[in-house]
Amino acid sequence: MIFTIASKELKMLFASPLAWVVLTVMQIISGYSFLRRLDDFLQLQTQFMQMANPPGVTELVAAPAFGTAAAMLLFAVPILAMRLIAEERRNQTMALLVSAPVSMSEIVLGKFLGLVAFLLAIVALTALMPLSLAVGTRPDYGLLAGLIAGLALLAASFAAVSLFASCLTVHPVAAAIGAFAALLGMMLVGETAGEGLRARGWPVAASLAQVLSPIKNFEPFGKGLLDSYAIACSALLIAFFLALAIRQLDAQRLRG
C-alpha cells in the first residue's frame, strides 16, 4: 500500500504544472551555473598547466553546480511538498484516505517516498551535467558519487521536514512558508548551536546539534567523503520528522 500511495503521489507531481515550473526553473539556474563554472575553468587552463597538482573539473565545475542545486532545493522542496497533506485536508479528501484500510504510517511513508522519487529525478538531472564532461575529460567519480549521495540525502531531509509542515495546516501556501522557515531556522540554529557548544568544550553535544543542520550534513559529501556520521544524522532527522508527521495525523484523526 505504501508504494501504491507513492506511485499516486509521483503521478500527481508529474501531472502538476507547478512541479514542472519548479523543475524547469531549477534546470535553467543549474545549467547556467554549470556553464558559467565550465567557462571559468576553460579560461584558467593555461594557469593550471603551470601547477604541479591542479584542481580538476569535478572540483571546480561539478561541486559548485551541486552546491547551487542544494541551495535551490531549500526553496523548491517546500513548494513541492506543500500540497501533500494540506491540500488533502482543504479539499476534504483526507477523510476518504483515512477511512481506507491503511495506517497513518503507510500514508505518510507513501507520500514521502513519492516526493523523494520526484526529487531524485532532479538529482539525476543535476548529475547528468558533470557526467557529460566524461567525453573529453576525466571526472573524479568518487567525488561525483559523494555529491550525488549528499544531494539525495539533503533532498530527503528537506522532504521530511516539509511533509511535517504540510500536516500542520489546511493551507498549502502556509505549509510552504512554514517549511521554508523551519528549514532555514534549522540550518542557522544548528550551525550556531554547534559552534557555541564546541566553544564551551562540549564536543559531544556539538556533534548531536549537527542533526538539526541538513546543510552541515551535506558538507562532507561535497568533499567526496562518504561520512557515516553525516549519513546517520540525516537518517535521524528524516525519521524524527516522519514520526512527528505520523503522530500529528493520528492526533487529528482522534480529534475528528
Side-chain angles (χ1 to χ4, degrees):
M1 188 57 71
I2 291 175
F3 294 106
T4 301
I5 296 173
S7 176
K8 171 179 171 291
E9 288 300 325
L10 184 59
K11 289 177 182 176
M12 290 181 66
L13 279 168
F14 277 111
S16 169
L18 179 61
W20 282 106
V21 169
V22 170
L23 183 61
T24 301
V25 171
M26 284 197 66
Q27 289 309 301
I28 290 173
I29 296 175
S30 295
Y32 173 79
S33 173
F34 174 76
L35 292 175
R36 182 69 180 270
R37 292 283 182 175
L38 181 59
D39 183 60
D40 292 341
F41 177 79
L42 293 175
Q43 290 182 13
L44 293 172
Q45 281 297 295
T46 54
Q47 298 180 26
F48 291 153
M49 292 175 64
Q50 301 172 5
M51 298 172 63
N53 190 21
V57 65
T58 311
E59 239 182 311
L60 295 181
V61 179
F66 275 85
T68 301
M72 287 190 295
L73 284 175
L74 179 63
F75 299 92
V77 176
I79 294 173
L80 294 171
M82 66 181 183
R83 47 158 296 278
L84 289 179
I85 301 295
E87 193 170 88
E88 295 269 12
R89 294 172 61 196
R90 187 183 64 175
N91 296 338
Q92 299 182 351
T93 56
M94 191 66 187
L96 296 174
L97 189 58
V98 171
S99 63
V102 292
S103 65
M104 285 300 174
S105 299
E106 290 175 322
I107 293 172
V108 169
L109 290 175
K111 288 181 173 291
F112 172 73
L113 291 177
L115 176 59
V116 168
F118 186 84
L119 295 175
L120 288 179
I122 295 177
V123 175
L125 289 172
T126 303
L128 284 175
M129 289 185 287
L131 283 173
S132 66
L133 299 177
V135 177
T137 61
R138 294 182 180 178
D140 184 343
Y141 290 106
L143 176 57
L144 196 55
L147 289 167
I148 294 171
L151 191 62
L153 276 175
L154 183 69
S157 300
F158 286 174
V161 176
S162 301
L163 175 58
F164 171 64
S166 184
C167 294
L168 300 177
T169 177
V170 298
H171 303 290
V173 175
I177 295 172
F180 173 74
L183 289 171
L184 187 61
M186 285 168 59
M187 287 188 290
L188 296 176
V189 172
E191 184 71 20
T192 304
E195 291 178 357
L197 292 169
R198 198 171 288 106
R200 294 187 179 186
W202 296 342
V204 176
S207 298
L208 291 175
Q210 185 175 335
V211 175
L212 297 176
S213 183
I215 291 295
K216 190 73 174 178
N217 296 326
F218 173 72
E219 288 178 359
F221 295 97
K223 300 173 183 177
L225 301 174
L226 292 178
D227 190 340
S228 58
Y229 184 74
I231 294 173
C233 286
S234 298
L236 282 173
L237 186 145
I238 292 168
F240 176 70
F241 278 96
L242 290 180
L244 285 180
I246 294 168
R247 185 178 180 84
Q248 178 68 21
L249 290 181
D250 272 328
Q252 291 171 1
R253 180 173 62 177
L254 290 175
R255 290 195 301 265

